[in-house]
Amino acid sequence: MNTVFIDGAAGTTGLEIRERLSGRAAFEVIVLEDERRKDVAARRDAIASADVTILCLPDDAARDAVSLGGPDSRFIDASSVHRTDPAWTYGFAELNSGQRAAIENARLVSNPGCYPTGFLALVAPLVAQGLLPADWPYSVNAVSGYSGGGKALIERYEQAEAPAFRAYGLTLEHKHLPEMKAHAGLAETPIFAPAVVPGFRGMLVEVPLPLAAMGAKGRAEDLAEVLAEHYDGERLVTVKQTDGIGEMLIAKDQAPSDRLDLYVFSSGDGGQARLIAMLDNLGKGASGAAVQNLNLMTGQPETEGLRL
């Protein structure tokens, strides 16, 4: 049996990780009483006792938590603080052919961000295969359920006067941008336009591509084919057919999911494309990915406990 400590278990991500581990004989979850959750000595003892510690904390707190561990402590960090740190393995198993094995053998794994999961799943394989240029200034339009914003945003959206739409990141700075640029192998930082809608969970991430203007090597159909080949056989990531799809929706009561579905929409002449990823920001975008990485690190079936 593997022991797991979730540091920050009272937050949304931590609660959903614990749900996915509930009833699994392969794992014993170390639980601290409410009055000890912020006690440094208690947390240090829990990290020392755990085979793997999952950090569901703000960035600075996650960095501090790692310092409580020893040289053999294994961590999965769901914050953004280590996602471009070369000492940490990036926890996106499907990203390239060697990533799954790297996670299995890693001591330190950084969980991908929710928006970057959609962006990278669409763009990184196409840049790696040379179909899309690495030096193009990509734009990313995305909407998410409000659960991704933490307790303050959840409380705001659960009031009677909740906004219908919230655009943010208007300074053109966002903590996800270094991760998106680095792991897609880009020379330019993308222009990122995130927004929040009044549904609890769910996410759409779109990358519009003027293929003819950008000098891409291939038409929209070629992009879809390469993505389908890249994710062939994956249980959590699927390239979907787009025939007959006239709209894409996020329901206010969207069902939980740990899947990632990818779409390539094409203009009639194939010279333009809209790449769209659909995922649950709390699933493959957070808690589901953490459990997937935990399974890999502890030799368990990769999708055990996940919502397929």
Side-chain angles (χ1 to χ4, degrees):
M1 179 180 291
N2 300 279
T3 54
V4 179
F5 173 49
I6 306 170
D7 197 358
T12 304
T13 299
L15 290 171
E16 293 229 347
I17 290 172
R18 193 168 176 184
E19 286 178 8
R20 287 164 173 79
L21 298 180
S22 178
R24 294 186 58 187
F27 295 105
E28 177 186 356
V29 178
I30 298 172
V31 179
L32 297 180
E33 298 86 353
D34 287 348
E35 62 271 16
R36 301 178 69 215
R37 284 193 294 108
K38 296 185 179 181
D39 182 271
V40 173
R43 291 169 59 220
R44 181 183 288 111
D45 289 344
I47 291 170
S49 300
D51 293 307
V52 180
T53 295
I54 305 177
L55 304 177
C56 302
L57 301 167
D59 286 4
D60 289 342
R63 187 183 291 108
D64 292 342
V66 175
S67 69
L68 299 178
D72 297 323
S73 298
R74 302 183 82 191
F75 289 95
I76 298 171
D77 183 10
S79 83
S80 65
V81 71
H82 295 115
R83 290 176 184 159
T84 59
D85 187 332
W88 287 66
T89 298
Y90 193 57
F92 194 162
E94 300 89 353
L95 191 61
N96 59 58
S97 60
Q99 206 64 22
R100 185 171 273 109
I103 294 167
E104 291 173 351
N105 297 306
R107 186 176 74 85
L108 306 172
V109 172
S110 182
N111 225 45
C114 51
Y115 289 119
T117 295
F119 174 77
L120 293 170
L122 294 165
V123 173
L126 300 175
V127 172
Q129 291 293 325
L131 273 77
L132 294 182
D135 58 355
W136 181 260
Y138 292 92
S139 60
V140 189
N141 306 311
V143 294
S144 173
Y146 59 80
S147 57
K151 291 182 178 178
L153 191 63
I154 291 173
E155 182 177 349
R156 180 180 180 186
Y157 263 89
E158 292 184 347
Q159 302 298 317
E161 65 276 12
F165 185 89
R166 174 180 180 259
Y168 67 106
L170 302 179
T171 62
L172 300 183
E173 296 179 354
H174 194 285
K175 66 180 183 179
H176 286 326
L177 284 169
E179 174 185 1
M180 294 160 77
K181 178 182 177 182
H183 293 293
L186 302 180
E188 302 286 342
T189 300
I191 298 174
F192 183 35
V196 178
V197 293
F200 184 74
R201 65 172 73 231
M203 174 172 284
L204 288 174
V205 181
E206 176 180 355
V207 183
L209 300 175
L211 296 171
M214 67 195 297
K217 296 180 180 179
R219 296 156 57 87
E221 295 85 350
D222 301 315
L223 307 187
E225 182 178 342
V226 168
L227 287 175
E229 290 176 355
H230 182 86
Y231 296 109
D232 183 42
E234 294 290 352
R235 295 189 64 191
L236 297 175
V237 185
T238 304
V239 180
K240 296 284 193 177
Q241 296 295 319
T242 57
D243 294 344
I245 297 179
E247 61 182 6
M248 298 192 71
L249 305 174
I250 298 175
K252 288 187 176 181
D253 56 350
Q254 190 83 12
S257 171
D258 293 315
R259 295 194 48 74
L260 172 59
D261 293 331
L262 308 179
Y263 300 81
V264 179
F265 292 92
S266 173
S267 61
D269 62 1
Q272 294 181 326
R274 294 174 64 180
L275 310 183
I276 300 180
M278 175 174 260
L279 65 155
D280 181 350
N281 58 291
L282 295 178
K284 185 62 170 167
S287 305
V291 172
Q292 181 184 1
N293 288 325
L294 177 66
N295 286 337
L296 289 170
M297 293 172 72
T298 56
Q300 302 302 311
E302 183 175 342
T303 59
E304 188 77 23
L306 299 184
R307 296 153 175 170
L308 304 180

